């Protein structure tokens, strides 16, 4: 009886050790598998290989307009490159599609978040609320100062604007 119980315990210990080894191997292989998976789907945009030759940072501009807000906004310069210590300027086209005057505010956000510390807005249409006349189109700009020191792993950043209606 004791011998059978000891044999069962040894078998159980071997199975548990094998499971632990498989879990460790899975966790170890997960990082490169995740990188390949993101590259396959094209969702890892902060990759240094996306940066153009000679450029320090690839900056992508994105716009989000909530459903129901009668405004069209488009990034005219959707991708820019900036060197360390340089200045980057991007233009956006903003249009009021309604028949009434409309006041909106653009709320910026950076991805990855640490890019906010590396890109300083010198001039931005997001500093103040914008009032647009009915059917008015207006070109607005943002001017960014790129930090003098960029981390080598920072290949790309996204500056996204979300429009909000001001009451």
């Amino acid at each position: 009886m004791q011998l059978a119980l000891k044999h069962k315990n040894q078998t159980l210990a071997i199975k548990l050790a094998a499971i632990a080894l498989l879990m460790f191997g899975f966790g170890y292989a997960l990082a490169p598998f995740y990188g390949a998976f993101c590259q396959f789907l094209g969702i890892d945009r902060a990759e240094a290989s996306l940066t153009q030759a000679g450029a320090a940072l690839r900056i992508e501009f994105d716009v989000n307009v909530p459903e129901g807000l009668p405004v069209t906004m488009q990034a005219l310069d959707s991708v820019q490159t900036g060197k360390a210590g340089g200045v980057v300027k991007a233009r956006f086209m903003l249009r009021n599609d309604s028949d009434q005057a409309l006041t909106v505010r653009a709320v910026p956000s950076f991805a990855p978040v640490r890019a906010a510390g590396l890109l300083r807005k010198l001039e931005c249409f997001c500093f103040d609320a914008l009032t647009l006349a009915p059917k008015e189109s207006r070109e607005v700009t943002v001017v960014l100062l790129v930090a003098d020191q960029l981390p080598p792993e920072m290949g790309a950043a996204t500056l996204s604007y979300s429009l909000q209606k001001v009451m």
Side-chain angles (χ1 to χ4, degrees):
M1 187 70 167
Q2 286 284 354
L3 192 57
L5 182 61
K6 184 177 180 181
H7 181 69
K8 283 185 178 181
N9 286 341
Q10 286 178 339
T11 303
L12 179 63
I14 290 171
K15 288 180 182 178
L16 290 175
I19 289 171
L21 274 172
L22 286 173
M23 291 174 63
F24 176 77
F26 178 73
Y28 191 76
L30 194 57
F33 179 72
Y34 176 76
F37 185 71
C38 289
Q39 187 176 10
F40 174 74
L41 294 177
I43 56 176
D44 188 9
R45 307 197 58 112
E47 191 173 304
S49 64
L50 294 174
T51 304
Q52 296 176 357
L57 183 63
R58 174 186 165 107
I59 306 167
E60 298 180 13
F61 297 94
D62 183 39
V63 176
N64 299 301
V65 178
E67 193 172 310
L69 186 62
V71 173
T72 303
M73 187 168 179
Q74 177 183 8
L76 299 176
D77 307 309
S78 59
V79 177
Q80 296 281 330
T81 54
K83 294 184 178 183
V87 175
V88 174
K89 181 179 179 181
R91 300 171 300 134
F92 297 84
M93 182 56 72
L94 183 63
R95 186 179 71 229
N96 178 1
D97 296 328
S98 72
D99 294 328
Q100 299 177 349
L102 186 65
T103 302
V104 295
R105 175 173 221 111
V107 178
S109 63
F110 288 93
V113 174
R114 63 187 167 154
L118 302 172
L119 298 170
R120 195 174 93 204
K121 292 186 279 301
L122 299 177
E123 174 187 325
C124 183
F125 60 95
C126 62
F127 289 158
D128 298 310
L130 299 169
T131 300
L132 299 168
K135 305 294 184 190
E136 178 187 0
S137 293
R138 187 184 307 173
E139 186 176 300
V140 293
T141 59
V142 61
V143 179
L144 302 170
L145 176 63
V146 181
D148 290 335
Q149 300 290 325
L150 293 173
E153 71 277 3
M154 178 70 79
T158 300
L159 175 55
S160 180
Y161 287 101
S162 296
L163 286 183
Q164 295 179 350
K165 183 177 180 180
V166 177
M167 300 293 165

